[in-house]
């Protein structure tokens, strides 16, 4: 009886919900315009924004579910989920999913997105010298950076596990992960700093001159080795990540297996390669893919350190240059799609793993 | 017994090796930190490690005066030994003392002795100058003074905060609602939507930037706070939703059933039951999103552009690197100011911080 609501009640529910929906659109539209055009003091804007972010966004859900309550159970059960996922799905669709498709579309058009050029942009990206350098460097970043992060991470995790100050050591190695790549760029620019003359204030050049070597402009002069000095920054920042995950995995290796191996007279190195590594192999795989994905998109470090000069360009900086400085939307989109293609295997693996876990 | 002794010896080796690695990891940051407190002229003249006690040649009162008619091109005799002009120019060590020209024209040689020195001249001027937007006087290495304009980093600090706080709260709230629905409600399209979200986890942001910038230009959202909040919200949503889904879907089913029997609506269950229970997860992912926005450079660069009153710290510092790459007194203090927030969070909330970073490591 209760679910078979009278037409009058249903009409009222529709009116109420439409009114609430409309009110939400109008109020939030006004807030949108207010924030867009506001010239208030930034602190005040921040406070208002936090207020809107917490109270306002919450109110959207509150009022919409309130409207849904007016419907009979069956209809309410259908509407409610969409109120809960609605804002997330709409934002994602507008600012991530659709743009990705539009970028794919734009990659088949010329610089000003007017003329269809087919695959010409892709042909250009893989043949043009500058873009070729970017691709080569990106491979260097992915290969060297990832390998070093994983190797150092593993080494430090093992050492920390056997040391008497594990927590402190892990904190120190992990700390660079907290700071921005821009700040890290400044830190390392100072380490690599070169000035003509005897007195070197950059640590690396001071060490080199102390041992009788010639000071160098590390990030600009010695191409293509300068790329390695940039990659070193990534290693400094990301090793902590690998280390923390490996450290947790190593603690999962059962003690009795290790003890048994020791009793049998295996050395620590043998134990490491024969027991620990096979035991944590899935973790190693996960960490490796994560760092590869991260490294593919490297941008900030190169931007701050060299701006992509001296043959240090990578795909993401070249993307920025084409899109933002040359306004070549064709090349820009194509480079973005190249990055997307590079991470596609990871996306598939993620999806398959999720299905295997019985997520749905 | 022998085994344990060997183990102990190994441990000492491990401790030392790890200590060296930790030291190498710390030194770059330490250099920045120390330099940020040194006067501008000092930074450019001597390495930052010179603030620690070290041995250096110091001029003593002892001065050797040669007669005016000594030929500087030939061998020069000092105290019974002969040196060349070049040797005296660079300084020559003799019996624990160093001889060096004090004044070549006046034929004066200074006798220097080695001693412990600290160049621990520290100041907070750099921070004042980089934070304010006012002009200030700067003493250069040669003693002359120049007037420089401050970098106005305090404004950028506020802007960063203005952007980061809403860009953390909004996505976390929206994503939690969505995660709840994905975990506990059944509706058509649920699977498709969630699979899309998982696919978006590692997507490079670059694929979205061009079209979104076009839309923003059309809507007038460029260089506005709202635009950047929305961008960070959308770019953060896949990860936060996934993270919160993993947490909320693991909550025991009985919890919901008993609440339902009591007649609670989904909204009530979510806000009275789920949110309070999720506080640890919310803290972890919130910290991750906050730091991600705080440290972000690319998104701000694209959507804020040249608006100086909205510029964030990372852009400001990158600008400084480009335009005043040798002004280390500004760069070091600016970089350290931008690191304050992440480091504070790192040391105070380490547990949540690590958990959030682990979950968030895949982010595009």
């Amino acid at each position: 009886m209760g679910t078979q609501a009278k037409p009058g009640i249903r009409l009222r529910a529709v009116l109420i919900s439409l009114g609430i929906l409309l009110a939400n659109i109008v109020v939030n539209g006004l807030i949108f315009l207010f924030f867009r055009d506001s010239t208030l003091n930034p602190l005040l804007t921040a406070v208002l924004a936090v207020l809107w972010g917490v109270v306002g966004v919450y109110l959207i859900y509150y009022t919409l579910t309130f409207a849904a309550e007016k419907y009979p159970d069956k209809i309410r059960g259908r509407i409610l989920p969409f109120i809960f996922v609605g804002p997330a799905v709409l934002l994602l669709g507008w600012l991530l999913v659709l743009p990705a498709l539009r970028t794919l579309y734009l990659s088949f058009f010329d610089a000003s997105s007017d003329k269809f050029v087919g695959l010409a942009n892709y042909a250009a990206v893989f043949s043009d010298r500058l873009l070729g350098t970017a691709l080569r460097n990106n491979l260097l970043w992915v290969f060297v950076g990832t390998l070093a992060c994983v190797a150092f991470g593993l080494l430090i995790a093992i050492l920390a596990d056997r040391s008497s100050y594990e927590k402190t050591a892990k904190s120190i190695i992990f700390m660079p992960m907290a700071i921005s790549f821009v700040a890290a760029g400044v830190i390392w620019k100072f380490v690599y700093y070169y000035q003509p003359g005897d007195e070197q204030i950059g640590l690396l050049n001071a060490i080199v001159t102390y041992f009788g070597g010639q000071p160098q402009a590390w990030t600009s002069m010695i191409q293509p080795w300068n790329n390695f000095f940039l990659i070193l920054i990534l290693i400094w920042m990301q090793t902590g990540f690998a280390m923390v995950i490996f450290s947790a995995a190593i603690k999962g290796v059962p003690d009795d297996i290790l003890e048994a191996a020791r009793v049998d007279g295996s050395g620590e190195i043998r134990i490491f390669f024969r027991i620990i590594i096979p035991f944590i192999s899935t973790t190693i795989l996960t960490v490796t893919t994560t760092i590869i994905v991260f490294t593919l998109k490297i941008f900030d470090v190169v931007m701050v350190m060299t701006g992509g000069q001296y043959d240090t360009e990578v795909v993401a900086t070249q993307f920025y240059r084409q899109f933002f400085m040359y306004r070549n939307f064709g090349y820009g989109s194509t480079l973005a799609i190249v990055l997307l293609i590079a991470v596609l295997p990871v996306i598939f693996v993620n999806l398959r793993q999720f299905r295997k876990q019985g997520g749905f | 017994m022998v085994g344990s002794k060997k183990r102990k010896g190994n441990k000492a080796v491990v401790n030392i090796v790890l200590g060296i690695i930790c030291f190498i990891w710390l030194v770059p940051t330490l250099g920045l930190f120390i330099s940020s407190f040194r006067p501008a002229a000092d930074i450019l003249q001597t390495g930052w490690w010179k603030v620690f006690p070290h041995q250096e040649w110091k001029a003593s009162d002892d001065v050797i005066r040669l007669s005016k008619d000594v030929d500087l091109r030939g061998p020069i005799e000092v105290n019974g030994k002969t040196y060349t002009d070049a040797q005296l120019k660079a300084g020559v060590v003799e019996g624990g003392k160093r001889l060096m020209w004090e004044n070549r024209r006046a034929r004066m040689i200074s006798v220097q002795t080695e001693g412990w020195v600290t160049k621990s001249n520290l100041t907070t001027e750099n921070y004042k100058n980089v934070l304010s937007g006012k002009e200030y006087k700067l003493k250069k290495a040669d003693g002359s003074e120049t007037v420089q304009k401050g970098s106005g980093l305090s404004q950028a600090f506020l802007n960063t905060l203005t952007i980061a706080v809403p860009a953390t709260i909004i996505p976390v709230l929206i994503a939690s609602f969505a995660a709840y629905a994905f975990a506990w409600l059944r509706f058509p399209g649920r699977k498709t939507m969630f699979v899309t979200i998982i696919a978006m986890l590692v997507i490079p942001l670059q694929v979205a930037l061009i079209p979104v910038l076009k839309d923003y230009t059309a809507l007038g959202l460029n260089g506005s706070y709202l635009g950047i909040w929305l961008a960070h919200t959308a770019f953060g949503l896949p990860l936060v939703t996934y993270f919160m889904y993993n947490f909320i879907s693991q909550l025991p089913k009985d919890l919901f059933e008993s609440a339902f029997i009591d007649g609670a609506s989904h909204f009530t269950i979510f806000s009275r039951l789920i949110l309070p229970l999720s506080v640890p997860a919310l803290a972890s992912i919130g910290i991750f999103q906050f730091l991600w926005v705080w440290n972000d450079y690319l998104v701000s660069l694209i959507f804020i552009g040249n608006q100086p009153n909205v510029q964030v710290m990372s852009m400001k510092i990158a600008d400084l690197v480009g335009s005043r790459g040798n002004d280390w007194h500004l760069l070091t203090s600016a970089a350290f100011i931008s690191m304050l927030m992440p480091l504070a969070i790192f040391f105070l909330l380490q547990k949540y911080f690590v958990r959030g970073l682990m979950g968030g490591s895949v982010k595009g």
Side-chain angles (χ1 to χ4, degrees), chain A residues 107-129:
Chain A
S107 72
F108 299 118
F109 284 81
D110 69 347
S112 51
S113 318
D114 293 328
K115 223 177 80 200
F116 182 78
V117 294
L119 290 172
N121 288 328
Y122 289 87
V125 163
F126 286 102
S127 59
D128 189 294
R129 198 195 74 84

Side-chain angles (χ1 to χ4, degrees), chain A residues 138-154:
Chain A
N138 237 132
L139 282 181
L140 208 63
W141 274 89
V142 166
F143 195 73
V144 178
T146 308
L147 202 68
C149 285
V150 170
F152 273 126
L154 207 48

Side-chain angles (χ1 to χ4, degrees), chain B residues 7 12 14 24 26-27 37 48 55 59 70 74 108 111 139 142 148 168 184 195 214 245 322 337 341 355:
Chain B
R7 194 88 40 90
V14 165
I24 294 173
L26 262 184
V27 160
F37 288 104
W48 56 266
Q55 288 215 314
V70 172
M108 266 163 63
V111 180
K139 233 174 150 176
D142 52 17
Q148 286 191 337
T168 305
W184 296 103
V195 163
K214 283 186 171 175
Y245 172 85
I337 290 168
M341 185 70 85
R355 215 183 287 152

Side-chain angles (χ1 to χ4, degrees), chain A residues 197-352:
Chain A
D198 295 334
E199 190 72 35
Q200 293 297 333
I201 60 164
L203 185 62
L204 187 59
N205 274 323
I207 292 172
V208 166
T209 43
Y210 181 82
F211 287 107
Q214 279 297 316
Q216 295 275 356
W218 301 105
T219 53
S220 56
M221 288 320 286
I222 36 171
Q223 296 160 16
W225 304 106
N226 52 355
N227 280 300
F228 288 96
F229 289 98
L230 301 191
I231 296 174
L232 201 64
I233 304 172
L234 173 93
I235 298 169
W236 182 69
M237 293 188 81
Q238 291 289 311
T239 296
F241 164 73
M243 175 209 63
V244 169
I245 296 194
F246 287 146
S247 180
I250 288 169
K251 293 208 188 316
V253 181
D255 275 337
D256 42 346
I257 299 184
L258 295 177
E259 274 314 310
R262 283 192 187 115
V263 169
D264 287 348
S266 304
E268 290 297 315
I269 293 174
R270 203 177 145 85
I271 288 176
F272 175 73
F273 282 108
R274 289 294 168 82
I275 296 175
I276 295 180
I277 294 253
F279 202 87
I280 64 168
S281 57
T282 41
T283 313
I284 295 180
L285 200 68
T286 322
V287 171
T288 310
T289 23
T290 308
I291 299 182
I292 288 179
V293 169
F294 185 83
T295 315
L296 271 172
K297 298 174 286 194
I298 201 83
F299 171 77
D300 307 17
V301 183
V302 180
M303 220 43 204
V304 172
M305 296 298 286
T306 61
Q309 287 173 292
Y310 319 112
D311 272 356
T312 55
E313 202 82 70
V314 286
V315 176
T317 57
Q318 191 59 253
F319 162 83
Y320 174 75
R321 193 175 305 280
Q322 294 295 341
F323 154 50
F324 220 65
M325 297 165 89
Y326 303 154
R327 293 273 155 193
N328 189 332
F329 293 146
Y331 280 6
S333 327
T334 309
L335 285 166
I337 296 297
V338 167
L339 282 180
L340 179 62
I341 293 170
V343 300
L344 269 187
V346 182
I347 293 181
F348 283 126
V349 169
N350 274 353
L351 286 176
R352 220 179 57 193

Side-chain angles (χ1 to χ4, degrees), chain A residues 32 35-36 42-43 45-46 49-50 52-54 57-58 61-62 65 69 80-82 84-85 87-89 91-92 94-97 99-100 102-103 106 113 152 155-156 159-160 162-165 169 171-180 182-183 186-191 193 195 199-203 206 235-236 239 241 244-245 259 262 290 293 297 299-300 303-304 316 319-320 323-324 327 329 332-333 336-337 339-340 343 346-347 350-351 354-355 357 359-360, chain B residues 7 11 14-15 17-19 21-22 25-29 31-32 35 43-50 155 158-159 162 165-166 169-170 173-174 177-178 180-182 185 187-188 190 193-200 202-204 206-216 219-221 224-226 229-230 233-235 237-238 242 245 265-267 270-271 295 297-298 301-302 314 317-318 321 326 328 331 335 338-339 342-343 346 350 353-354 357-358 361 363-364:
Chain A
F32 177 96
F35 276 121
R36 190 187 73 178
L43 200 64
T45 320
V50 172
W52 177 67
V54 181
V57 174
Y58 195 76
Y61 290 102
Y62 181 79
T65 43
E69 298 290 331
L80 211 59
F82 291 101
F84 272 56
V85 295
V89 168
L91 269 175
L92 266 180
W94 173 36
L95 294 173
L96 212 54
V97 181
R102 285 163 70 189
T103 302
L106 286 177
S113 318
F152 273 126
L155 175 76
I156 297 171
L159 287 177
R162 280 131 210 254
S163 75
S164 29
Y165 51 99
S171 289
I172 289 172
I173 307 292
F174 196 67
M175 189 208 63
M177 273 218 76
I179 67 176
S180 69
V182 176
V186 173
I187 290 178
W188 283 89
K189 230 179 151 72
F190 194 47
V191 172
Y193 189 64
Q195 58 181 17
E199 190 72 35
Q200 293 297 333
I201 60 164
L203 185 62
I235 298 169
W236 182 69
T239 296
F241 164 73
V244 169
I245 296 194
E259 274 314 310
R262 283 192 187 115
T290 308
V293 169
K297 298 174 286 194
F299 171 77
D300 307 17
M303 220 43 204
V304 172
F319 162 83
Y320 174 75
F323 154 50
F324 220 65
R327 293 273 155 193
F329 293 146
S333 327
I337 296 297
L339 282 180
L340 179 62
V343 300
V346 182
I347 293 181
N350 274 353
L351 286 176
F354 186 69
R355 196 157 299 156
Q357 282 166 358
F360 274 90
Chain B
R7 194 88 40 90
K11 195 153 192 169
V14 165
N15 281 341
V17 173
L18 190 64
I21 295 177
C22 287
W25 238 256
L26 262 184
V27 160
T29 318
L32 179 95
S35 296
I43 300 180
L44 286 176
Q45 274 178 323
T46 51
W48 56 266
W49 49 92
K50 297 270 166 82
Q155 169 79 43
L158 272 184
N159 292 344
T162 311
V165 175
I169 294 174
I170 297 172
L173 194 62
I174 291 180
F177 270 104
Y180 174 80
F182 283 124
L185 303 178
F187 52 97
R190 163 173 168 270
M193 286 183 206
F194 201 72
V195 163
T196 314
I197 287 179
I198 300 225
M200 292 290 132
V202 293
I203 205 168
Q206 279 84 354
V207 297
L209 295 181
I210 298 178
V212 172
L213 187 69
K214 283 186 171 175
D215 285 1
Y216 271 22
L219 287 170
L221 276 176
S224 74
Y225 286 119
L226 184 65
W229 293 331
L230 289 178
T233 300
F235 298 157
L237 267 178
Y242 180 63
Y245 172 85
S265 69
H266 279 298
F267 188 79
F270 177 77
S271 47
N295 287 338
Y297 177 53
L298 177 66
L301 192 64
I302 303 283
S314 58
I317 295 170
V321 170
N326 294 337
W328 286 108
L331 289 175
S338 83
M339 288 161 57
L343 288 182
F346 174 69
Q350 198 158 7
F353 175 84
V354 173
L357 270 192
M358 295 302 105
S361 52
K363 179 165 176 168

